[in-house]
Amino acid sequence: MEELEKVSMEELHHAYVVPSIDRETKQKLHSYFEDTLGVAVHGNPDVIELRLETLALQDARFLIEQASHMPLGKAKFFIVSFSFAGAEAQNALLKLLEEPTPRTHFFLLVPSLGTLLETVRSRLSVLSVSNDDVDEIGKKFLEANPKERITIAKSAIEDKDKSWALALVSSLEHVLHKRL
């Protein structure tokens, strides 16, 4: 996401996708808003943040409806993080992404680009996350002994934390691909 740090409000694309759903990525995005753009994240009606397990059709309709309102300040920002998205929901977002509302910017955080339909991806500017951030979870898992790995996996299963499990699998995929 380093490439975003140099982008001013006037240069912002209307929609971005970040292939990462971890907390650090979200923190970096918040810092960018506050430090570079001068936009407060918390308590700002122009910053709408959604954390969803699955982006459903009603969520897409909510975003469309909210995007239709003019911002109170310089611009309106949507930070939408999800692990899964139905085709109906993504197709509903297409018109919004094809004909963006002026001064409205979307930041979609997903576990991988494969989460999105190709037609949706083609309307988004991809922000890459540094490999070190992505690799950290997978490296820690691989460095653990088998008993520790089972404990890590068991906690994700018991907590039913699909987002974390997807982040782990994505990270493992990336780390093992580099090693092979």
Side-chain angles (χ1 to χ4, degrees):
M1 283 190 16
E2 289 78 29
E3 67 266 32
L4 187 63
E5 293 171 8
K6 298 173 186 140
V7 178
S8 69
M9 181 79 76
E10 295 75 28
E11 300 168 318
L12 270 179
H13 190 266
H14 71 280
Y16 294 92
V17 61
V18 184
S20 173
I21 55 174
D22 64 21
R23 285 184 212 114
E24 288 108 29
T25 300
K26 200 163 146 183
Q27 294 285 350
K28 286 179 184 178
L29 197 53
H30 285 187
S31 295
Y32 166 71
F33 283 174
E34 292 178 349
D35 301 340
T36 304
L37 300 180
V39 174
V41 174
H42 302 288
N44 185 344
D46 284 338
V47 178
I48 297 172
E49 196 163 354
L50 296 176
R51 171 64 192 112
L52 308 164
E53 189 64 40
T54 301
L55 179 72
L57 183 57
Q58 73 253 20
D59 302 316
R61 288 181 177 151
F62 170 79
L63 293 170
I64 292 165
E65 193 269 324
Q66 291 298 309
S68 70
H69 301 297
M70 292 304 291
L72 299 174
K74 298 176 189 176
K76 186 174 272 194
F77 300 92
F78 292 86
I79 303 170
V80 185
S81 176
F82 55 90
S83 300
F84 304 98
E88 292 172 336
Q90 292 187 59
N91 285 325
L93 285 179
L94 270 178
K95 184 168 176 75
L96 182 62
L97 297 173
E98 289 171 339
E99 300 171 19
T101 307
R103 302 185 307 149
T104 301
H105 307 280
F106 286 86
F107 293 83
L108 305 180
L109 283 70
V110 295
S112 72
L113 294 177
T115 305
L116 300 171
L117 297 171
E118 181 57 41
T119 52
V120 174
R121 272 195 313 257
S122 69
R123 272 95 177 154
L124 302 166
S125 181
V126 178
L127 294 174
S128 58
V129 179
S130 79
N131 290 341
D132 293 340
D133 295 342
V134 173
D135 292 352
E136 195 59 35
I137 298 170
K139 284 179 183 176
K140 285 182 181 176
F141 186 83
L142 291 173
E143 290 169 357
N145 64 46
K147 187 176 180 179
E148 292 169 332
R149 289 181 187 173
I150 290 170
T151 302
I152 292 168
K154 186 178 177 183
S155 68
I157 292 167
E158 287 174 352
D159 294 342
K160 296 182 181 178
D161 190 348
K162 290 180 186 174
S163 298
W164 187 89
L166 283 170
L168 172 63
V169 170
S170 179
S171 179
L172 285 169
E173 219 174 26
H174 193 259
V175 170
L176 292 173
H177 179 75
K178 281 174 39 178
R179 288 185 184 179
L180 297 175

